[in-house]
Amino acid sequence: SQESDAFRAVKTEDPVSIDGILDEPAWQKAPSIDGFFQYEPDEGKASLRKTEVKVLFGKDDLYVGAKMSDSRENIENNLGRRDEYNRADWFMVSIDAYYNKKTAYTFGVNAAGVQLDGQQDDNKKLSVNDANPLLPAGLDPSWDAIWFSDVTISDDCWIAEIRIPYSMLRYSRDEIQIWGIHFRRRIPNLGEVSEWP
């Protein structure tokens, strides 16, 4: 995987409404994370579509906002059951709260608002999931958490807004927290999966 610079999540004291619109003042203060690279089909090349992600943390929750550029007619927003990684545009965030670089909690949402979550364990190396061979290797979707998301689609992008309660994660009691984070975007119209490790 590529090496990427560290970033600081921005603290917010104000409530964030999970409505798929990144209009709260806290989002404007958070730096944008971009520079996604393809995992498929041309590994290591820059993604063909721009993705910008912002991260906030509050007293009880972690917030992730993502803006995925594309034209409305190319965005696939197919409905499905929860944890069904169907053919649709997807955004996923994996959080390595112990920063051991081997395990993570993964939260994903597609452009229709379908949620997927699971535990990532690189020790398991699940290359093929019987229920869904498209799932990322090592992701076990049988783990379910309570978290919140919403999406919106406009003429030139789709936006995912996610709130993850800290109670859904396990992490150390250290006052200063260093977590690993990984973002993944799937664009079926291009056959592309891009990442920001």
Side-chain angles (χ1 to χ4, degrees):
S1 70
Q2 72 197 41
E3 292 294 325
S4 296
D5 292 335
F7 71 92
R8 287 181 183 266
V10 172
K11 186 174 184 179
T12 180
E13 302 289 347
D14 301 321
V16 176
S17 176
I18 303 303
D19 54 10
I21 303 169
L22 307 179
D23 57 352
E24 287 84 4
W27 289 121
Q28 310 317 311
K29 297 175 187 172
S32 288
I33 302 156
D34 56 13
F36 279 56
F37 286 89
Q38 293 182 43
Y39 178 74
E40 294 176 351
D42 296 316
E43 188 172 0
K45 289 189 177 179
S47 174
L48 297 175
R49 299 288 182 267
K50 186 172 185 176
T51 303
E52 297 175 88
V53 184
K54 296 184 176 193
V55 180
L56 304 172
F57 69 97
K59 180 176 177 267
D60 300 311
D61 306 280
L62 182 74
Y63 302 93
V64 179
K67 178 181 176 183
M68 281 100 11
S69 297
D70 210 337
S71 58
R72 183 187 290 267
E73 61 269 15
N74 289 334
I75 298 169
E76 296 190 30
N77 59 335
N78 299 315
L79 288 170
R81 294 177 183 261
R82 183 184 167 113
D83 290 335
E84 179 186 340
Y85 192 61
N86 62 356
R87 181 183 168 98
D89 281 69
W90 281 89
F91 173 76
M92 301 174 106
V93 56
S94 296
I95 300 165
D96 176 4
Y98 281 114
Y99 198 48
N100 62 18
K101 302 182 181 181
K102 296 203 178 292
T103 58
Y105 300 97
T106 296
F107 304 86
V109 63
N110 78 8
V114 176
Q115 290 185 339
L116 179 146
D117 52 21
Q119 287 185 314
Q120 184 80 32
D121 188 344
D122 286 351
N123 294 319
K124 292 184 180 176
K125 297 288 184 191
L126 300 173
S127 57
V128 175
N129 182 303
D130 290 339
N132 193 334
L134 297 175
L135 281 172
L139 181 64
D140 178 2
S142 66
W143 176 79
D144 287 317
I146 298 170
W147 55 287
F148 309 90
S149 64
D150 203 354
V151 300
T152 56
I153 299 175
S154 66
D155 289 338
D156 61 353
C157 71
W158 72 282
I159 293 173
E161 192 171 26
I162 296 171
R163 175 169 70 91
I164 303 165
Y166 298 132
S167 60
M168 297 297 107
L169 307 172
R170 292 186 182 203
Y171 50 91
S172 74
R173 294 180 173 262
D174 296 343
E175 185 176 344
I176 304 296
Q177 295 283 319
I178 298 175
W179 292 0
I181 197 159
H182 179 266
F183 305 116
R184 181 181 182 104
R185 178 181 177 185
R186 180 175 173 216
I187 312 171
N189 182 265
L190 298 175
E192 181 183 296
V193 174
S194 60
E195 300 181 324
W196 190 96

